[in-house]
Amino acid sequence: MSRVKLTVNGQTVSREVPDNTLLSQFLREDLRLTGTHVGCDTSQCGACLVHVDGRAIKACTTLAVSLDGADVTTIEGVANGDDLHPMQTAFNTHHGLQCGFCTPGMVMAGIDIVTRYQAMGQPLTEAAIREELEGNLCRCTGYHNIVKAIADAAQTMSGAAKAAQ
Amino acid sequence: MYELKYHKATSVADAVAILGDAEDGKVIAGGQTLVPTMKQHLAAPSDLIDIRALAELQGVCIKGDALVVGAATRHADVALHTDVRTHIPALARLAAGIGDPAVRAMGTIGGSLANNDPSACYPAAALALNATIITDRREVDADAFFAGMFATDLDEDEIITSVRFPIPEKAAYAKFPNPASRYAMVGVFVAVLDGDVRVAVTGAGEDGVFCHKGLEAALAARFTSAAVDGVDVSEEELMSDLHGSAAYRAQLIKVMAKRAVIAAG
């Protein structure tokens, strides 16, 4: 057992957990943040994507103890109160989901993709979005609208970033 | 996953000491292979020694006429680093094509080389670029480092600290990724170093990454994609599995070698 102290969605949390606890287990079972989904549990589907210290990683492929002190954002932490994140709004607008199981990972991936491309100053083309979604599987095969949603949110997020400057 | 004891090492020396004391310890960095392997019960270390955050293992720099990459540098950071993109763009592109973005955000070059997966990309770069693997106790040439599938010349308690890549005149990597796993079905890294041509093949060999002497000789004589046509690539000692036969991989080696030569220019 080890004590793990993390900042999750802006709140400090501290728990005593077995050393072999995955971040996905820690979030879902210890913190009851069940928005982070476990789809394949073999590191392939991306449903468990969360942001750790600014990088999108697979919560099912990371030990919670190894992240002691880290800043974690899950799907529960991206909206601002009742105001959805632009990426969530775009998924809604473009119907970027069918069953919804992959959606938390898709939204977290989408935010990460847009943020990285903005930081690199590179245009986010449709081809780039499809390539960047390599690690996120949707078994309803709804990629087309997911790609549209991310492209749309990229415009909104870029406008917001410029307005903030 | 079986029970284990986790240790966060405070230095490479500390990691080596903990490893020495552990019953069946294993070093973890990005964990993108090790954690899934442990979840499948294919590995069950008693102790995990985490070196991911060690400052001495991070970063990229130019030292003399070589590019040095810290062992815990993540694929995403190698892919974006200005020095890598300027001096060995083929290496930056290779790193940008490993796994998927979330894997590249965690996986490290040292972890990839130490694991020596027969379908991993980095071993091909290390071998073709005649890299030197630097560990906590010595320096090993890539030619002597890779010792068969999932095997290296590393001692049980030895830790890679950095990798030194000579800067090539030309280099390129061409990979035919497995459509599902994105691991290389065949990957060919071609490099021209001090007038010598080195051609390393991953994803195909029964003993993991290897240099193809026939391709090297043909390309040394004439560095054109047409030179590849006349080379006999034998299917002997190539992998045959549900993804492709040895004969298919032999053909892919030639196709990827041609693509790499064209990309290297």
Side-chain angles (χ1 to χ4, degrees), chain B:
Chain B
M1 195 187 301
Y2 293 114
E3 282 184 19
L4 58 91
K5 176 85 190 108
Y6 172 88
H7 310 260
K8 185 159 276 186
T10 54
S11 65
V12 172
D14 181 45
V16 173
I18 300 170
L19 202 49
D21 289 342
E23 187 191 329
D24 181 20
K26 200 121 178 87
V27 170
I28 186 167
Q32 298 302 286
T33 299
L34 183 55
V35 172
T37 308
M38 288 164 57
K39 285 167 73 175
Q40 291 176 59
H41 292 180
L42 296 172
S46 62
D47 295 68
L48 276 186
I49 300 100
D50 190 350
I51 59 168
R52 181 170 74 227
L54 294 179
E56 57 197 297
L57 303 181
Q58 314 295 327
V60 175
C61 65
I62 297 288
K63 268 192 196 155
D65 53 4
L67 179 85
V68 180
V69 181
T73 311
R74 304 177 197 203
H75 308 329
D77 295 335
V78 171
L80 283 180
H81 199 282
T82 311
D83 284 342
V84 185
R85 293 169 77 146
T86 306
H87 298 287
I88 318 184
L91 187 65
R93 278 196 284 273
L94 174 147
I98 298 173
D100 60 48
V103 166
R104 296 195 286 273
M106 287 293 277
T108 68
I109 186 169
S112 173
L113 294 175
N115 190 47
N116 194 19
D117 187 301
S119 297
C121 296
Y122 265 131
L127 196 54
L129 291 167
N130 201 17
T132 303
I133 319 298
I134 302 165
T135 77
D136 62 298
R137 62 201 67 169
R138 63 184 172 136
E139 299 193 351
V140 191
D141 290 340
D143 282 322
F145 181 79
F146 301 107
M149 206 178 268
F150 296 109
T152 68
D153 194 49
L154 290 172
D155 290 334
E156 284 292 319
D157 62 342
E158 188 171 11
I159 295 175
I160 300 175
T161 54
S162 63
V163 187
R164 190 168 64 229
F165 294 97
I167 293 170
E169 283 123 67
K170 292 180 184 180
Y173 179 60
K175 150 166 107 161
F176 188 88
N178 179 300
S181 73
R182 311 307 283 176
Y183 270 98
M185 289 272 297
V186 167
V188 176
F189 201 113
V190 173
V192 182
L193 285 158
D194 297 327
D196 272 351
V197 178
R198 289 175 66 96
V199 179
V201 179
T202 188
E206 276 181 340
D207 293 322
V209 69
F210 66 94
C211 278
H212 196 286
K213 298 300 166 197
L215 287 170
E216 288 178 348
L219 290 169
R222 200 158 53 98
F223 195 78
T224 64
S225 64
V228 172
D229 286 328
V231 180
D232 178 34
V233 176
S234 164
E235 62 186 81
E236 272 177 48
E237 295 181 29
L238 296 188
M239 280 193 278
S240 218
D241 56 24
L242 78 165
H243 305 302
S245 64
Y248 180 65
R249 282 191 163 87
Q251 172 63 16
L252 271 184
I253 288 172
K254 290 180 78 163
V255 177
M256 291 305 114
K258 282 185 171 188
R259 288 187 188 172
V261 169
I262 291 167

Side-chain angles (χ1 to χ4, degrees), chain A residues 68-90:
Chain A
D68 190 42
D71 191 353
V72 179
T73 305
T74 70
I75 188 68
E76 288 90 345
V78 298
N80 184 9
D82 288 340
D83 293 334
L84 292 179
H85 188 280
M87 190 62 69
Q88 293 173 302
T89 305

Side-chain angles (χ1 to χ4, degrees), chain A residues 2-8 13 15-28 30-31 50 52 57-72, chain B residues 1 4 6 8 28 35 48 50 52 106:
Chain A
S2 295
R3 179 149 289 273
V4 181
K5 196 174 163 190
L6 295 172
T7 305
V8 178
V13 297
R15 296 282 191 285
E16 191 84 22
V17 296
D19 288 4
N20 60 2
T21 306
L22 297 164
L23 177 61
S24 49
Q25 290 174 300
F26 182 78
L27 294 171
R28 291 178 57 83
D30 291 276
L31 304 184
V50 297
V52 174
I57 68 164
K58 298 176 193 200
C60 85
T61 312
T62 313
L63 293 174
V65 284
S66 75
L67 298 177
D68 190 42
D71 191 353
V72 179
Chain B
M1 195 187 301
L4 58 91
Y6 172 88
K8 185 159 276 186
I28 186 167
V35 172
L48 276 186
D50 190 350
R52 181 170 74 227
M106 287 293 277

